Amino acid sequence: EKKVPNVGVLQVSYDSPAAGRNLAVRSVALEVIGWKRGELEDNAVKWWTTSAEVPPSVRDLLDFTMARFGGDLDEVWEALIADLEEPKFLAKDFEAGLAKLNCRKLKGATESAEIFTFLTTVVAGGPPTTTSATTELTHATFENLEPYLKDSQRNIVEFLDFCHRTWPFSESLVLAWEAWDSQKKGVLSKKDFVAAVQGTGFFGDLALVFAVADQDDSGRISVDSLRFLKRFAGC
C-alpha cells in the first residue's frame, strides 16, 4: 500500500466562475463553517478573482500600479487622462497615457492594445473579443480591476506574513534580507532573489513580489525595496 507523503507542497487549482455558482450550497457553508446566519443576497456577493489568470500585460499593469501608485487605481486613472483633450478615452489615448507614465514594465503598443481589449471586454463583462478605434474606456470599467489588484496585494501580504513567522517580527525584513543576500552585495536580481527566498521555504508568487518591490524597474532590489512592501501589510 502506497503511503501518502507527510512532507512537500500540495498545489491545487479551483475553477468556479460566478456563472457556475450554487448560491444555496455556499449559503449553507457560510452558516455551518463561517458561523454567519442570515440570507445571502446574490447581488451582495463579490466573487473572488485571481491576478494569475490575466494576460501578462495586465499583470504588468497591476504590478506597476502597486509599485508606483501604492495600488491606488484612481491615481492611475487621473494620471492617464491628465492630458486628454476629448471627452472619450480611446485606445490611442490609453497607449499615450501609459507612455507618459514611463511604465517600463510594459513594452509598447502591443501590450497597451492587449490591456485595453481586456479592460473593455472581459473586465467590462463581455466576451474576450477585439475592440475598434472607437471603443471607449470609462473610469467605472477601469475600476473593475480592483478585485485583481486585491489578489495581488494578498500575495504581498502572504510574503510579509512568511517573513514575520520565520524571523523576529520587529526586524523580520532586515533579517530576511541578510539571509537572502548571503554574499552581501546589497542588491539582488530577480533570479537570485527567487532562488534565495525559495531556499528558505516560501513558495508563493515571488515574481509578483519582485515586480512590486522593483519600483524603478532596474531589475534589482535592496532591503529598502522590501521595506516598501510594508505599506500593503493592512490590505
Side-chain angles (χ1 to χ4, degrees), residues 36 38 40 53 62 73 86 94-95 109-110 142 154 162 174 207-208 216 218:
K36 292 184 180 293
L40 186 61
E53 296 179 359
L62 295 173
L73 285 171
E86 300 178 2
F94 184 69
E95 181 182 344
T110 301
F142 187 74
R154 279 191 289 267
F162 167 79
V174 174
L208 183 150
D216 59 0
S218 66

Side-chain angles (χ1 to χ4, degrees), residues 121 199 221:
T121 56
I221 63 172

Side-chain angles (χ1 to χ4, degrees), residues 25 35 46 110 130 139 149 180 185 198 232:
V25 172
W35 292 15
K46 292 186 177 180
T110 301
T130 57
H139 186 196
L149 193 63
W180 299 331
K185 294 180 179 179
Q198 287 180 338
F232 300 108

Side-chain angles (χ1 to χ4, degrees), residues 139-195:
H139 186 196
T141 297
F142 187 74
E143 285 188 323
N144 285 338
L145 279 176
E146 186 72 19
Y148 300 96
L149 193 63
K150 287 295 184 183
D151 182 57
S152 294
Q153 292 171 342
R154 279 191 289 267
N155 279 288
I156 299 295
V157 172
E158 288 178 358
F159 171 78
L160 294 173
D161 286 346
F162 167 79
C163 293
H164 297 331
R165 291 194 307 269
T166 308
W167 292 275
F169 187 89
S170 60
E171 296 294 330
S172 60
L173 293 181
V174 174
L175 295 175
W177 179 262
E178 290 176 354
W180 299 331
D181 183 24
S182 58
Q183 297 183 18
K184 310 301 178 187
K185 294 180 179 179
V187 293
L188 289 174
S189 66
K190 179 180 178 180
K191 179 181 178 181
D192 291 340
F193 174 74
V194 170

Side-chain angles (χ1 to χ4, degrees), residues 111-126:
E111 287 197 334
S112 172
E114 184 178 54
I115 296 172
F116 190 84
T117 299
F118 182 80
L119 288 170
T120 54
T121 56
V122 177
V123 172

Side-chain angles (χ1 to χ4, degrees), residues 4 7 12 34 43-44 48-49 61 72 84 88 109 115 117 121 132 162 180 208 220 222 225 227:
V4 177
V7 296
V12 298
N43 58 7
W48 181 65
T49 53
L61 177 62
D72 192 324
L84 189 64
K88 291 187 176 182
I115 296 172
T117 299
T121 56
S132 69
F162 167 79
W180 299 331
L208 183 150
R220 301 185 301 175
S222 66
S225 306
R227 291 192 179 105

